[in-house]
Amino acid sequence: MAKVKVKSLTKRYGAVTALDGVTLDAESGELISLLGPSGCGKSTTLRCVAGFLSPDSGDISVNDQSIVSTPSNRRDFGVVFQNYALFPHMTVAQNVGYGLLFRKIPKSEHGPRIENALRMVRLTGLADRLPKALSGGQQQRVALARALVIEPRLLLLDEPLANLDARLRDEVRWLIREVQQQSGTTAFYVTHDQAEAMAISDKVAVMKSGKVAQFATPRDIYQRPSERYVADFTGEANFLAARVLDASAGRFRIEVAGQTLDVPGVASLKAGDTAELLLRPESLSLDMDGASPRSLFTGVVSKAAFLGASQHCEISLGTGGVLKLAAPPNTSIAAGEQVGISVALEHAWLMPEVKP
Amino acid sequence: MTDARKWQLLLGIPAVLLLFVFLIMPLAGMVEMSFRTAGSNAPYGDGFTAVHYARVLGDGFYMATLLRSLVTAAIVTLLCLIVSYPLAWHLSTARGGKALFLYACIASPLMTGVLVRNFGWMIVVAIDGPLNASLMGLGFISRPLRVMFTQGLVIMALVHVFIPFMVLPINNALRNINPALSEASLSLGASRLSTFFRVTLPLSFPGIQPGVILVFVLSVAAYVTPALLGGQMVNLMPTLIIRELTGTFAWPFGSTLAIVMSIATLSIVVAFSLLTARLMERVRA
């Protein structure tokens, strides 16, 4: 059981700042995702935590004890790599048992522990094979078993699914979450796939050029993002420029597209600020009979694509701007039609405008 | 047979021809010669006999020389491996211009002719040469060391020239090891030393094996360096063979010595390959 804190981690390579004050924390047993595009610093953060890199400044602590100067072989962390990193000259059992060799565990216990770990990742009967005789999914299971058999204080996963095909990715993803929860191991999980991060994490840190843009639950980063970057990265999003007229306790009266609306938003906004209104496609619905009294906006269908379970539409608003939304599959929509759009205002979200 | 397959076979023809004319035919000639009778007033006689083999295998002097050659080659190979491994490791971490510079440094022993290189050694280790002068100047020795014509000097000179044959394949093998493997080992609690012996060393074996075989074979067969730096004091098989072939013109007996040496070397190489076949099979990508 381990509580992990990462505080103001900074790492520079020459003139490039790879990490710029990264702060995160994980309660015991939580799975924390580091999410972002390549080069955002998520892997660098993980490598600092694993001890493969030493940060220029900042601190990493486990149960309130700093481990930043502890070498990686004394941190007691299990690491799962993107390319599996199984030892090719050792059998599956030897790979899984590797970490036991360096711990004060009687030899007689190795066999049962290895067996147990392999059963946990649902991989039995392959103990004597070499890694190259296994599929990618099986290799990653071995890697997971190898990291868990030492009962690590912290499990670190660096894009563990990136080399697997889509079907296996789903399967292994749920397996990772299952064994992580079963063993109660605190885990850091690096990924560039927002769906993956949201599905299995207790909390997600969305990273942007070496900084944590937002650190919150999957629901919060999707529905209550701190800025446009986060909203964009976590899913389909529409943005409308807005101006704050009045603010009180996280509710805002705003002016947007010629209308005055009441919406929730980021608490730090003040009256007079320029802001952006986030409207997720699923909080919008089409009013097919032109503009009805419920319609907040009116516009013309500029694009419509039938996807099977839904239809993807883009509506050009009369006041400028485009809204993307998903319409139900059984209404017929054609480009050029005049439509109204209703908005579930409780699911709209106001964010400060951040200059890129 | 497909056209592509035919072309592949055609491409092999020049190499096969070259090997046939310049390796297989002379070797067959050597084998034939080794069974000829000794001639009087001629390099060889008309009849055939196996008596030379009986003489080589039965005479303690030749067997001792063969053993000395093989042991010397083994020492050269081992020293070469010990010196080359760290070098190969350093080289494998270098990139770009630095790597190019290091490659040139490592290949440098091969850039001078064998005579020039060996005369260089003679000058360095001479009684009044720079080696003795500096050792005496530093107070390590009070009288000059006699290094010339010793087995130690022969071994040192062979190690020096064969280092590239060991460094380059090991460097290649080290470059092919996924760096995440040592990280995985460290994260599982292994020290850097354990990581080296359990992961890096076995995985670099695809470079160690060819390096060891190359250096061993070259060392057994080395002639010029032992002849110049060892002289009459260091008796090795190649010196003996050349003496028979061109000194006393006993071609059949010289050929027999050469064939015995080749078979002994080949047996050791085959045994080494068989002993390490399991490891090679495992670490091959």
Side-chain angles (χ1 to χ4, degrees), chain B residues 119-279:
Chain B
F119 284 122
W121 278 108
M122 288 179 190
I123 294 167
V124 171
V125 303
I127 293 289
D128 51 357
L131 177 71
N132 276 318
S134 34
L135 283 180
M136 289 209 296
L138 290 168
F140 288 121
I141 51 174
S142 55
R143 255 181 301 169
L145 289 175
R146 201 186 64 83
V147 184
M148 201 54 211
F149 305 126
T150 59
Q151 194 180 19
L153 176 62
V154 172
I155 289 173
M156 190 154 68
L158 288 178
V159 168
H160 169 244
V161 69
F162 291 150
I163 277 177
F165 297 98
M166 194 67 96
V167 169
L168 297 178
I170 295 176
N171 159 62
N172 244 338
L174 287 171
R175 276 178 195 266
N176 283 334
I177 299 176
N178 174 1
L181 292 180
S182 347
E183 290 175 354
S185 171
L186 288 173
S187 74
L188 289 165
S191 62
R192 291 200 172 273
L193 202 66
S194 302
T195 300
F196 173 74
F197 282 111
R198 288 173 186 275
V199 178
T200 314
L201 187 61
L203 290 181
S204 63
F205 198 73
I208 296 177
Q209 194 195 48
V212 163
I213 290 176
L214 269 176
V215 172
F216 181 75
V217 169
L218 288 171
S219 303
V220 175
Y223 168 65
V224 178
T225 299
L228 288 178
L229 300 179
Q232 301 291 328
M233 306 302 289
V234 184
N235 255 326
L236 295 172
M237 279 305 262
T239 336
L240 224 55
I241 293 167
I242 301 282
R243 204 181 298 154
E244 293 292 336
L245 289 178
T246 65
T248 57
F249 276 96
W251 287 7
F253 188 63
S255 302
T256 307
L257 284 174
I259 300 289
V260 168
M261 184 184 92
S262 302
I263 290 172
T265 312
L266 195 67
S267 311
I268 289 174
V269 169
V270 169
F272 176 69
S273 304
L274 287 178
L275 281 174
T276 54
R278 220 173 88 90
L279 181 58

Side-chain angles (χ1 to χ4, degrees), chain A residues 28-32 120 144 148 155 157 174-187 200 202:
Chain A
S28 185
E30 273 188 336
L31 190 150
I32 306 293
M120 194 149 75
L144 189 60
L148 286 170
L155 182 62
L157 303 118
W174 293 122
L175 181 76
I176 289 173
R177 180 56 161 166
E178 187 190 308
V179 297
Q180 180 262 333
Q181 284 183 321
Q182 235 171 50
S183 58
T185 313
T186 314
I200 71 168
D202 293 299

Side-chain angles (χ1 to χ4, degrees), chain A:
Chain A
M1 300 299 103
K3 200 170 68 178
V4 181
K5 279 200 180 105
V6 174
K7 223 174 104 192
S8 314
L9 221 52
T10 303
K11 179 83 189 166
R12 278 185 206 87
Y13 295 103
V16 182
T17 303
L19 297 182
D20 188 3
V22 170
T23 297
L24 298 167
D25 63 273
E27 291 299 323
S28 185
E30 273 188 336
L31 190 150
I32 306 293
S33 280
L34 306 178
L35 175 66
S38 59
C40 70
K42 57 191 192 301
S43 280
T44 310
T45 307
L46 196 82
R47 294 175 62 75
C48 285
V49 175
F52 304 148
L53 286 176
S54 43
D56 296 333
S57 64
D59 191 43
I60 304 163
S61 67
V62 177
N63 294 332
D64 298 318
Q65 271 188 328
S66 173
I67 51 127
V68 86
S69 53
T70 310
S72 54
N73 58 341
R74 297 194 197 287
R75 289 194 184 187
D76 214 6
F77 294 170
V79 186
V80 176
F81 297 83
Q82 177 174 346
N83 52 28
Y84 323 130
L86 295 179
F87 306 122
H89 57 306
M90 299 182 195
T91 62
V92 166
Q94 288 170 330
N95 264 285
V96 174
Y98 189 82
L100 301 176
L101 299 175
F102 312 104
R103 287 172 170 73
K104 288 194 182 71
I105 295 167
K107 268 264 185 309
S108 58
E109 268 184 50
H110 288 200
R113 282 215 193 194
I114 292 167
E115 227 171 280
N116 213 1
L118 285 173
R119 202 173 315 121
M120 194 149 75
V121 298
R122 288 190 229 111
L123 201 72
T124 45
L126 300 174
D128 296 324
R129 298 266 190 94
L130 288 177
K132 65 182 163 192
L134 304 183
S135 71
Q138 289 172 327
Q139 290 193 38
Q140 200 56 298
R141 282 161 198 256
V142 176
L144 189 60
R146 181 178 69 177
L148 286 170
V149 79
I150 59 171
E151 289 168 13
R153 295 193 289 173
L154 178 63
L155 182 62
L156 302 172
L157 303 118
D158 190 2
E159 307 228 22
L161 309 180
N163 285 357
L164 302 179
D165 61 50
R167 202 176 47 81
L168 271 174
R169 207 174 291 171
D170 243 21
E171 200 182 306
V172 178
R173 176 212 287 175
W174 293 122
L175 181 76
I176 289 173
R177 180 56 161 166
E178 187 190 308
V179 297
Q180 180 262 333
Q181 284 183 321
Q182 235 171 50
S183 58
T185 313
T186 314
F188 279 8
Y189 186 107
V190 162
T191 178
H192 61 265
D193 182 333
Q194 50 89 14
E196 199 175 296
M198 299 216 291
I200 71 168
S201 313
D202 293 299
K203 276 183 178 170
V204 180
V206 183
M207 296 193 62
K208 175 188 180 185
S209 42
K211 290 184 176 135
V212 177
Q214 190 173 12
F215 181 48
T217 62
R219 184 176 287 277
D220 277 353
I221 62 157
Y222 187 80
Q223 294 183 337
R224 292 179 277 278
S226 60
E227 56 175 290
R228 179 175 182 149
Y229 173 85
V230 175
D232 249 342
F233 204 81
T234 48
E236 284 273 17
N238 298 298
F239 304 98
L240 293 174
R243 207 163 57 80
V244 184
L245 299 175
D246 192 18
S248 68
R251 304 277 323 178
F252 303 92
R253 171 162 292 260
I254 59 166
E255 193 191 315
V256 63
Q259 311 208 32
T260 307
L261 304 175
D262 271 318
V263 292
V266 175
S268 62
L269 285 164
K270 303 180 301 290
D273 285 352
T274 54
E276 285 185 293
L277 185 66
L278 165 68
L279 299 169
R280 292 284 187 191
E282 61 274 16
S283 65
L284 303 177
S285 52
L286 277 184
D287 302 320
M288 287 310 298
D289 41 352
S292 78
R294 309 183 287 126
S295 302
L296 207 51
F297 304 115
T298 57
V300 178
V301 178
S302 58
K303 213 186 265 176
F306 181 72
L307 301 178
S310 68
Q311 304 185 78
H312 177 83
C313 304
E314 288 187 16
I315 317 294
S316 300
L317 297 184
T319 52
V322 175
L323 291 179
K324 287 171 284 192
L325 62 88
N330 297 328
T331 46
S332 77
I333 304 167
E337 269 184 277
Q338 184 81 29
V339 291
I341 297 170
S342 303
V343 179
L345 278 180
E346 279 318 294
H347 299 299
W349 184 252
L350 193 68
M351 304 169 299
E353 189 179 30
V354 177
K355 296 279 184 294

